[in-house]
Amino acid sequence: DIQMTQSPSSLSASVGDRVTITCRASQGIRNDLGWYQQKPGKAPKRLIYAASSLQSGVPSRFSGSGSGTEFTLTISSLQPEDFATYYCLQYNNYLTFGQGTRLEIK
Amino acid sequence: EVQLVESGGGLVQPGGSLRLSCTASGFTFSNYWMNWVRQAPGKGLEWVGKINQDGSKKYYVDSVKGRFTISRDNARNSLYLQMNNLRAEDTAVYYCVTVLEGWWGQGTLVTVSS
């Protein structure tokens, strides 16, 4: 089974900050990775697919990069509505989620 | 507009059974692999299982093998999750999901408790 290690588990930041979240796969997954944002009581919303492709309608301050085993989600300038929990998801072999990153207001 | 609507959740005793449904609209349901994903209260996301387009291939996470069964009815645009021998640790919101397209339902809550 493929394991996904996501870091950090939590992060405090301010509006306007640049933040980066990382996921590492236990084996190569090509670019079969997505990033999701989840707010309390809501279903996850996909931000990025195929590691670096921006989902339609998602602001361009969100970007993804990586291939193989190392992936990053970057938010270039945090907005108030970005404070949420973020998950990576590998879909190369079955599905595995990262543990999540809770992004909080500093 | 794509919609996935789950139903069938509720309170069930340990050892009991429940059948979840997911009704799809706005896309050609029979063309897509479908997944069930769950989230225990206050916890992260966990993949439960998936089924291919014609229902001939099914895969499950180890913790539900032998207890849960995924099926589908393409004529009814519906996905199902039959859950037997339920345990407290199965308590979660259950979502139906298409992974490659990133479509999720709103979820249905299953609570296993005496």
Side-chain angles (χ1 to χ4, degrees):
Chain A
D1 294 0
I2 297 175
Q3 308 303 317
M4 300 301 295
T5 303
Q6 185 174 340
S7 62
S9 57
S10 64
L11 178 58
S12 294
S14 302
V15 173
D17 282 355
R18 178 185 180 91
V19 301
T20 298
I21 300 169
T22 298
C23 265
R24 289 188 175 87
S26 59
Q27 63 190 73
I29 58 169
R30 303 183 305 184
N31 68 338
D32 297 332
L33 183 116
W35 289 97
Y36 286 80
Q37 177 193 68
Q38 188 179 32
K39 296 183 177 179
K42 299 293 187 181
K45 171 189 172 183
R46 191 168 72 173
L47 304 172
I48 301 287
Y49 63 96
S52 60
S53 296
L54 189 67
Q55 183 78 21
S56 176
V58 172
S60 58
R61 63 181 179 273
F62 291 92
S63 63
S65 64
S67 182
T69 61
E70 296 243 356
F71 302 87
T72 60
L73 172 71
T74 299
I75 310 172
S76 60
S77 178
L78 275 173
Q79 298 302 300
E81 60 269 29
D82 299 339
F83 292 94
T85 301
Y86 293 83
Y87 295 92
C88 62
L89 167 63
Q90 74 79 20
Y91 46 87
N92 178 266
N93 184 6
Y94 303 125
L95 303 182
T96 313
F97 291 91
Q99 299 91 331
T101 296
R102 185 172 179 176
L103 179 53
E104 301 173 320
I105 300 174
K106 184 183 286 185
Chain B
E1 179 193 7
V2 168
Q3 279 200 309
L4 294 168
V5 179
E6 301 92 338
S7 59
L11 175 64
V12 60
Q13 292 188 337
S17 298
L18 210 56
R19 187 197 197 205
L20 305 184
S21 299
C22 170
T23 302
S25 60
F27 65 103
T28 305
F29 178 74
S30 58
N31 287 351
Y32 292 85
W33 280 83
M34 296 298 299
N35 296 263
W36 286 100
V37 171
R38 67 183 178 182
Q39 186 170 36
K43 302 297 185 182
L45 299 162
E46 180 184 38
W47 173 70
V48 173
K50 65 178 181 179
I51 186 169
N52 72 337
Q53 290 87 340
D54 66 5
S56 61
K57 298 179 182 179
K58 305 173 188 181
Y59 303 94
Y60 303 93
V61 69
D62 285 348
S63 58
V64 308
K65 282 179 183 175
R67 300 189 299 124
F68 289 12
T69 302
I70 298 175
S71 62
R72 65 192 297 162
D73 183 340
N74 288 339
R76 297 177 184 272
N77 289 336
S78 293
L79 174 72
Y80 305 103
L81 181 65
Q82 177 67 44
M83 303 185 294
N84 298 330
N85 192 19
L86 282 159
R87 307 167 180 167
E89 54 265 35
D90 296 318
T91 294
V93 174
Y94 286 73
Y95 297 98
C96 66
V97 179
T98 66
V99 171
L100 292 183
E101 298 70 30
W103 300 327
W104 291 60
Q106 86 289 347
T108 188
L109 176 62
V110 172
T111 303
V112 184
S113 174
S114 54

